[in-house]
Every structure is written in C-alpha cells, then in structure tokens.
Amino acid sequence: MSFSLIEACKKRKRWPKIFRLHSFGDPGCPISPTGSFRDNVRFFLQEAGELEDYDVLGNPLWCTLLIHDKTNLMAPLYTLEEHVYHSSHPFCDHCRCVGWSGHFVSKRRYHFIIPMDNGWHKPLGEGVLDNQSHLLHGVIHCNGYGHLLCINGTEGGSKVLSGREIMDLWDRICTNLRARKIAVEDVSRKRSMDLRLLHGVAYGHSWFGRWGYRFCRGSFGVTDQNYYEAIETLGSLELDVIVKDLSKTKYHKEIKQMIRCYRDMSETQIISIRDLLRFMLTVKSSRAPVSKITITSSASASPSTAFISRNSTKQTLPSRSNPLKEKSARYKKFSTAVANMDSRWPTRRLEFAAQVIVDALKENKAVKSGSGGMTRQDVRDAARLHIGDTGLLDYVLKSLNNVIVGNYVVRRMVNPSTRILEYTIHELGKGFKAAEQEHEVMAHVDQQVESSWVPCSDVYSDVLYLYKNVLLGYPDSETVDLAVQTILDSRHFVKEWPLTDEMEQVLTFICRLKPNLVDIKSELKGLPCGEVVVVPLHATVGDLKKAAEAALRDTYCIAERLIVTDISELMVADDEEVLFGLIQSGVELCVRGIAIDLCTPLKYQGGADNWKVRCECGAQDDDGERMVACDICEVWQHTRCSGIDDSETVPPLFVCTGCCDSLVPSRVETSVGMDCSDSFLIAAEPTHLLEYGYGY
C-alpha cells in the first residue's frame, strides 16, 4: 500500500532522487533535452535515477521517486535498461504487430515501470516484464520508437493514481526524452464495452486520442480512411432516425424514453448519437458515485495481453453479489485461450508445443521431489529436443501462466529461495479448478443489470444499454454493422513527436541506411527508420559522416561495425566543406557504408522469417490477428477471412482457395459437394487430396 516519504526511504535504506509527480517531465525537469532519445535517456538516468543494488534478469535498474502533490504519497518510477544481446526475446513482437517489423533491431530498450501500490516498497521480480498489473509499463527502443504496454489507474486497482494522471506523466516523460513514435494497442474495456468503439463514437477518437494518439494500423486490411469514415458514419446517426429504425424492436420504448430524458436534461440540442453519448459520459463523470462493488473485467483469453494497454481494468456496478469466485477465476484452459491467440503459428502447433512443455515438466517432477519446478531456460532446452522453432517455444512459454493443459495446471512464479522464475505443474482436481470463461461471467452480470434496468435511473446502465442495443444491435443495417466492425478492427494507435531544432548553433538530421544497399530483400520488411544525428553549426560533411556512423553503431546491431562512406544528398560535396548553407537542418539523409553485418540474426524486429501474407481482406503483412498457412503454398491468411470462427480450432490440413482451384477440379466438386471458391478445410482424413499425392 502507499507509504510516506520517510517510511519509504527507511525501507529503501537510502535517499533516492525525488521529484514532484505532476511536474516531472516538464521542460527542464528532470532534464533539458539536447538531441536524440538515445542520448537523452542516458542523461535522464544520470540526473534523475538512482542505480539499484540489484538487477533484473541481468539488466541494470534505476529508481526515481515521485511525490503526489495532493496526498504527499510517493510512487517509484523504475527504469530498466534491457540489452537485446542478453535478452531471451531480442525481437519485438509489438513492433511486428504495429507495422514496424522492418525496423532494424535496436541494441537497447528502456522499460519505464510504476508497480501496483502494494509493491512500491518491494524489489522488482524477474517476471516484471510480463506483469500486466503495473500502474504504468512503457518500453522505448534506443532509436526513440516505443510502445505503451500497460496503464492501470484507480479503476485498475490503484488507491492513489488515476489513469489520467499516469497517462499525463507518461506523455511528459516521452516529450522530455524526445521519443519519436509511441504506439499503443487499445483493447481497453469497461466491463463488456470496448472503449475504442464507445469513445470513438462519442469523441471521434479513442481514449488515448486525448494525448494525441491517432490511427496507426488496422487489422484485416482496415485503412485510416476506412477508420475515420466509420467513426463519422456512427457518430452522425440521428436519434430520430434511430428511434424510427428501432420501432419494431422490443427495446424501442426504452430507447425512446431514454433519448427524451437526456434531451430534457441537456441545455443544448442533442441531435446525433455522438451528442447523446458525449452528454451521458459527461453526466456520469460529474455525478457522485453510489454504493459500489468492484468487478474484475480485464482478463483476456489471448496471451498477447502482455502487450496490450488498459486504461481501466476494474469497473463498478450498483451493489450486488459478486459472481466471480476467487479460487476458480485464476485458471483457464490453454485449448480455449489458444483459439484467440494473436499468433503466426497454427493452433495445432501452439497446442503441441504446450504439451511438449508439460511433458518436460512432468518428467522433471517425477525425478525431483517437491514442486519439481524448472527454470525457463531448462524448460526451453528440454522442449528444443522435440521442437526446433525457438520463436514458437518463446511465444508459448510466455503464455503458460495459470493455464490448464490436459489434466495439469501450469504456473509460473519466482522461487522464494533462489529468486529465479520457475515453471511448475499441478494435477487438476488437487486444489486447482478451471476458471469460468470471463465473457460468460460478465454476460451474466450484464443480464442482471439489464433485467433490473430502468431508463435514466443510472447513467452507466443507460450507456451500456445504448451500446448493446444500438451500436452492436442495430437492426438490418449493413452500413452500421460494417462501421462497428471497422472500429473494433482498429486497435493500433500511435503518437509522433515531430523533429524539432530548438537549440541554436546545432544542425539536426535523420540519417537512414538505404535499404537496397543493406540487403536486397529489405524492401519486403518495409523502410527502416532513420536515426537522429545532431552536429554543431560549424560541422563539415566529414563530421556529419562520423556522427552518423557513431549514432548508427550505437543504436543498431546490424551497424555495429559500420563505416560510413558517403551520404547520397552530399555526394558532390567535399568532406572539408561546411554544412551550414549547404543543406537545410531537419532533412532526411540516405547514408551508405560498408562492414554492415548482414549475417547477424538480429537484423529486423520482425525476425528472420520471410513468411508471406496474402488475404482476401487486403492484408499483406502480419497485423497480430490469428492466421493460418496454406499447407501447399505456405501463404498465410486470416482464419476469420477463411471462414474459421475464433472459437474454432484450425483444421489439421488447410488449403487456400488458389491451391484448391488448381489441385481439386470439378471431379472433387461432384464427389464431395463443395464449391472450390471456398478454402478447403479438412478436419477428417483428406482422402481426395491423398489421390493427388498430398497426404500427411
């Protein structure tokens, strides 16, 4: 729980550096930025951080104490410097899903973490990077590109900090350190409502849009134009038209009564559903709360929740019995969770890898006495005897925590004696129960709310009723349904800080390694981002080459021994020529060089895989959604676009439409009664394909 300044410092056995929370990150506090993020973050740690006397997973850790202005309580802000050469997961899955898989692998990434209140006086454990309950967790690569992974305010369990306070702090830190782009995957929910849909309709942007986060990348081929058109389509729905369209539904009377009630309350005209939702959310935030209980609603069935941000993970309802059981809410079946995994691997491979890991844990437990725990590296080494894909193993290991595989519960925790993260298994039924699926529990709660709902008696219930029966349940409107699905398929948002040249007597450039001179296949990964380089006003062309060389060497694994030979835009200039007056500050330059390490596996953030994506929705790259690969042409496409529901497992053999058309002529159409315009999904033994030589 929260603690005072003196008590905190006694527990920490020293006086760390202390700043005011609400001014931390303002210009000059704690630093005045001088150049690129990679330089500013080092200066930041020197000026504002106190190096801890322990490390986390072999990485150094700094702490800064922030005092809350109103309560005088203090929160620790930890900064962990993770070196990718020593990391068990050097590639960035967040970059891959947000569309930055073509970025070069950065040498370092910095994690900014504020733990939950009750952990403020405790050292960080080895599972800190996978913990989703932090008040704040953001990571920024040393090139200035980063990701906001987790936000949990008062509704997420904090007794001190609100979501807006934490978000304000994060935004000031990024600005003060001169981050370049920060992405966030918004899957925030208020009980059963997706906030990106609710806030999108009410305000024209997501909750993160208040801090300048805009559409970055949509799933299933959704573009920015699709997204903003969908926002406008839903927000401009007129209430009178809605009432007319709902006239034949069972909730027509309640919706009409609700609209009339809030129109009477408002001093301004309420014409569209955007006007209504905005007014309702304003009324909700201004009213005093009634007697409430807290209901957890942020658990996700997908392991990728380690990479998602949540501005609200606990919600409040009028007081009633809590349907969640503490014992049964901790574990869920891996076979169920795997159906919604945002993974490039087929479901069957994920399940097979999980079973291999369980078998290794069972074998180890049979040999050892006690819990039979195994370290992550030991589990990984044992599983590699059967599975050669280390990326698959890392992905599944990250997902195995409090899940059921077969008849066993797999848990991950820190051994109290060795302080090392270990995996253990426990037989199901011996004190361990399977969890109810959360959406079923919350659906039961929603039914309780709806059954006792009276229009205009509770604003939150009114918003929920409107959300379910208008946005999600609009009758016979393909336009509304498509707009809703488009917004729900748009989860990735980004904020960009433009390059500024506030300092006098310096020139600032973005130096980019030209991809066709680095790797002939690099175009497949996209255009790598350039690096910020700052030189004095009197610098020469030769000085700029040296500065660019040093910056790229310091930032990227591929450029560790780079020697810059020329700059495309300055080819005709002599190395001794002064830059001032020759080229304008702030422009982007293409750098060419030799001794680029093309053999390093740490080349692109998306890894070494050159797997192909070609889906009917238009997607041509990994967008984080569940995919399946054709077993013949090995081209990936979305399971949803292939007619496989998210709750269904992927068939053991999948053949795409193109291969089906070329391999299965009209003979098969006659014998099995299928239309070859559909993908060929084989759940049983594929006898017809066996005739063509495509057996297991």
Side-chain angles (χ1 to χ4, degrees):
M1 58 187 296
S2 305
F3 53 98
S4 68
L5 173 62
I6 297 178
E7 181 184 0
C9 292
K10 284 182 179 179
K11 290 184 177 182
R12 297 179 61 83
K13 299 181 181 179
R14 67 180 184 277
W15 288 86
K17 297 178 180 180
I18 304 167
F19 298 86
R20 288 286 177 183
L21 184 142
H22 292 91
S23 61
F24 188 77
D26 285 343
C29 179
I31 66 170
S32 296
T34 57
S36 64
F37 171 83
R38 70 177 183 279
D39 296 326
N40 291 330
V41 71
R42 287 166 169 158
F43 188 39
F44 166 83
L45 294 176
Q46 177 184 335
E47 294 296 313
E50 182 75 25
L51 184 63
E52 294 288 280
D53 53 7
Y54 68 97
D55 57 40
V56 176
L57 299 172
N59 299 301
L61 184 71
W62 288 263
C63 180
T64 305
L65 295 183
L66 306 176
I67 304 176
H68 195 279
D69 290 352
K70 295 181 179 179
T71 63
N72 285 329
L73 297 174
M74 188 172 53
L77 170 65
Y78 291 101
T79 306
L80 184 145
E81 184 183 62
E82 182 183 12
H83 295 263
V84 298
Y85 285 122
H86 308 126
S87 174
S88 60
H89 197 69
F91 303 109
C92 182
D93 287 327
H94 317 303
C95 284
R96 175 177 56 83
C97 293
V98 84
W100 299 342
S101 59
H103 287 192
F104 295 136
V105 175
S106 300
K107 289 185 175 181
R108 302 172 305 282
R109 47 192 177 218
Y110 296 87
H111 296 263
F112 299 86
I113 298 172
I114 299 179
M116 188 56 72
D117 301 1
N118 56 11
W120 283 0
H121 64 282
K122 302 175 183 177
L124 297 184
E126 293 190 355
V128 63
L129 299 185
D130 296 326
N131 193 331
Q132 303 166 35
S133 65
H134 297 311
L135 300 187
L136 168 66
H137 184 188
V139 58
I140 307 180
H141 301 277
C142 59
N143 64 358
Y145 286 71
H147 314 272
L148 175 57
L149 307 182
C150 185
I151 287 284
N152 287 301
T154 51
E155 292 185 347
S158 174
K159 297 179 181 178
V160 180
L161 301 178
S162 68
R164 290 193 182 186
E165 286 180 309
I166 300 172
M167 194 64 200
D168 285 339
L169 172 65
W170 169 249
D171 193 60
R172 293 195 305 270
I173 290 174
C174 293
T175 302
N176 189 249
L177 297 182
R178 288 194 174 178
R180 297 176 62 188
K181 286 186 180 181
I182 300 295
V184 59
E185 184 182 0
D186 182 7
V187 291
S188 313
R189 293 173 65 86
K190 273 189 178 295
R191 207 168 70 225
S192 58
M193 295 185 291
D194 288 281
L195 287 183
R196 63 186 182 279
L197 176 57
L198 180 63
H199 277 259
V201 176
Y203 300 106
H205 55 72
S206 70
W207 184 80
F208 298 95
R210 299 174 181 178
W211 291 271
Y213 286 80
R214 297 292 179 260
F215 177 91
C216 173
R217 190 189 195 200
S219 301
F220 303 103
V222 173
T223 64
D224 56 347
Q225 181 178 352
N226 300 146
Y227 173 74
Y228 289 113
E229 286 179 353
I231 289 286
E232 185 58 31
T233 297
L234 294 180
S236 61
L237 288 174
E238 294 186 5
L239 297 179
D240 294 339
V241 176
I242 292 175
V243 171
K244 181 180 178 181
D245 291 343
L246 299 181
S247 59
K248 295 183 180 180
T249 64
K250 62 181 180 180
Y251 40 85
H252 166 257
K253 181 180 178 181
E254 288 80 3
I255 295 291
K256 185 176 181 179
Q257 180 181 346
M258 182 197 305
I259 293 173
R260 184 173 62 250
C261 174
Y262 285 103
R263 276 177 166 172
D264 292 340
M265 293 172 57
S266 175
E267 297 179 355
T268 59
Q269 279 191 322
I270 296 180
I271 299 176
S272 66
I273 191 173
R274 172 168 298 163
D275 300 333
L276 178 59
L277 283 174
R278 188 176 298 186
F279 178 73
M280 294 171 75
L281 294 175
T282 302
V283 171
K284 178 183 179 296
S285 62
S286 63
R287 286 188 172 182
V290 295
S291 177
K292 300 174 181 178
I293 61 171
T294 302
I295 293 186
T296 304
S297 66
S298 64
S300 170
S302 167
S304 65
T305 51
F307 312 130
I308 62 182
S309 67
R310 309 174 186 278
N311 69 312
S312 301
T313 57
K314 294 186 180 178
Q315 308 305 330
T316 55
L317 295 177
S319 184
R320 54 173 57 91
S321 60
N322 190 344
L324 295 178
K325 303 297 182 183
E326 180 181 358
K327 188 67 177 178
S328 66
R330 298 173 59 191
Y331 311 109
K332 55 190 174 186
K333 292 183 179 180
F334 183 79
S335 59
T336 303
V338 75
N340 292 323
M341 283 187 175
D342 296 332
S343 168
R344 69 180 68 179
W345 293 280
T347 302
R348 62 180 183 272
R349 292 193 65 193
L350 295 171
E351 292 178 336
F352 174 71
Q355 188 59 54
V356 168
I357 291 171
V358 167
D359 292 342
L361 290 170
K362 287 167 57 179
E363 182 178 350
N364 179 77
K365 188 174 183 178
V367 175
K368 294 183 179 180
S369 59
S371 64
M374 295 178 68
T375 65
R376 183 186 183 284
Q377 188 60 47
D378 290 341
V379 176
R380 192 172 185 266
D381 291 342
R384 283 198 66 185
L385 298 176
H386 306 276
I387 299 176
D389 189 342
T390 56
L392 171 63
L393 288 177
D394 290 337
Y395 187 86
V396 174
L397 282 170
K398 185 182 297 183
S399 312
L400 289 179
N401 186 25
N402 292 338
V403 297
I404 298 171
V405 180
N407 294 323
Y408 292 89
V409 175
V410 182
R411 304 181 69 193
R412 184 177 66 210
M413 63 183 65
V414 176
N415 187 310
S417 58
T418 63
R419 307 292 300 176
I420 296 176
L421 190 70
E422 291 186 348
Y423 288 83
T424 59
I425 59 168
H426 309 269
E427 191 172 353
L428 193 63
K430 297 184 177 180
F432 295 89
K433 301 178 181 179
E436 298 178 30
Q437 294 299 313
E438 182 188 345
H439 65 86
E440 297 176 356
V441 176
M442 297 317 303
H444 171 66
V445 177
D446 290 342
Q447 290 173 2
Q448 287 184 318
V449 173
E450 190 168 337
S451 63
S452 59
W453 175 72
V454 178
C456 299
S457 61
D458 177 71
V459 181
Y460 184 79
S461 299
D462 292 343
V463 173
L464 176 61
Y465 196 86
L466 199 65
Y467 178 91
K468 291 177 60 178
N469 297 314
V470 176
L471 294 181
L472 298 186
Y474 206 93
D476 303 325
S477 177
E478 185 177 336
T479 301
V480 173
D481 292 343
L482 179 60
V484 169
Q485 190 60 59
T486 297
I487 296 174
L488 292 179
D489 287 341
S490 304
R491 301 199 310 261
H492 298 285
F493 299 87
V494 68
K495 179 175 181 178
E496 180 176 3
W497 283 261
L499 183 64
T500 58
D501 194 2
E502 300 174 354
M503 297 177 56
E504 298 180 357
Q505 306 302 315
V506 298
L507 298 173
T508 305
F509 304 99
I510 295 180
C511 296
R512 186 192 306 271
L513 278 173
K514 206 166 184 178
N516 62 346
L517 297 178
V518 176
D519 185 354
I520 194 171
K521 297 181 180 180
S522 61
E523 286 83 358
L524 299 176
K525 293 288 188 178
L527 193 61
C529 61
E531 187 58 22
V532 176
V533 176
V534 179
V535 294
L537 196 63
H538 55 77
T540 63
V541 174
D543 294 333
L544 177 58
K545 289 181 181 179
K546 293 179 181 178
E549 180 181 295
L552 292 166
R553 282 186 174 188
D554 185 42
T555 305
Y556 301 113
C557 300
I558 195 174
E560 191 163 20
R561 293 186 294 273
L562 169 70
I563 299 175
V564 173
T565 56
D566 54 71
I567 300 175
S568 299
E569 290 75 7
L570 300 172
M571 290 284 289
V572 297
D574 188 78
D575 281 0
E576 302 302 322
E577 192 168 350
V578 177
L579 290 169
F580 183 73
L582 182 64
I583 191 169
Q584 184 179 358
S585 178
V587 301
E588 183 177 299
L589 305 175
C590 292
V591 174
R592 300 182 180 183
I594 60 175
I596 300 172
D597 189 359
L598 299 177
C599 298
T600 177
L602 301 178
K603 188 183 301 183
Y604 298 113
Q605 292 287 15
D609 297 335
N610 284 321
W611 55 297
K612 300 177 182 178
V613 176
R614 186 172 63 251
C615 189
E616 64 180 24
C617 68
Q620 297 182 353
D621 194 7
D622 183 11
D623 55 11
E625 303 295 341
R626 191 170 71 136
M627 290 188 173
V628 59
C630 174
D631 287 292
I632 296 178
C633 66
E634 299 183 347
V635 173
W636 291 79
Q637 55 188 285
H638 295 117
T639 53
R640 192 177 89 179
C641 299
S642 304
I644 306 173
D645 191 78
D646 288 342
S647 60
E648 298 176 353
T649 58
V650 178
L653 181 63
F654 173 82
V655 182
C656 68
T657 303
C659 294
C660 180
D661 290 339
S662 61
L663 296 175
V664 186
S666 57
R667 168 189 175 187
V668 174
E669 183 179 339
T670 303
S671 60
V672 300
M674 70 171 288
D675 183 358
C676 282
S677 62
D678 297 325
S679 299
F680 203 3
L681 308 178
I682 310 292
E685 184 177 0
T687 54
H688 296 89
L689 288 186
L690 286 172
E691 296 178 11
Y692 290 88
Y694 290 96
Y696 284 110

